[in-house]
């Protein structure tokens, strides 16, 4: 799972919750950082993103991910 949020506290809590559920979690603090991680990491099963982030919203990130990795939820 790749979790994306510009709020460090929210991101830490999201990561902890997902790890408690048994998931391996990578984190990114921006849309750009998330895209870089996706380019460098071949195996990501899910992206969970905040919507309201500066520079790139979650919707914009989702659109770019759809072009980079079609079908990635």
């Amino acid at each position: 799972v790749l979790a994306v949020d510009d709020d460090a506290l929210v991101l830490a809590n999201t990561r902890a919750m997902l790890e408690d559920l048994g998931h391996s979690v990578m984190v990114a603090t921006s849309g750009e950082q998330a895209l870089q991680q996706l380019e460098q990491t071949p195996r990501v099963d899910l992206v969970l993103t905040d919507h309201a982030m500066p520079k790139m919203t979650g919707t914009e990130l989702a659109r770019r991910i759809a072009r980079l990795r079609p079908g990635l939820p």
Side-chain angles (χ1 to χ4, degrees):
V1 176
L2 174 57
V4 187
D5 201 306
D6 62 311
D7 184 314
L9 184 58
V10 172
L11 188 57
N13 286 328
T14 300
R15 180 183 201 163
M17 178 184 61
L18 290 167
E19 288 177 342
D20 284 346
L21 292 170
H23 299 283
S24 175
V25 182
M26 298 185 315
V27 296
T29 58
S30 69
E32 269 308 316
Q33 189 179 52
L35 291 171
Q36 289 172 356
Q37 288 192 19
L38 284 172
E39 288 175 0
Q40 297 170 359
T41 308
R43 174 81 192 229
V44 175
D45 297 320
L46 173 70
V47 177
L48 181 64
T49 185
D50 179 21
H51 174 72
M53 296 185 293
K55 298 184 183 178
M56 184 185 310
T57 68
T59 301
E60 291 169 316
L61 175 59
R63 286 185 187 129
R64 291 187 60 183
I65 290 171
R67 287 190 296 259
L68 183 65
R69 295 221 188 148
L72 177 63

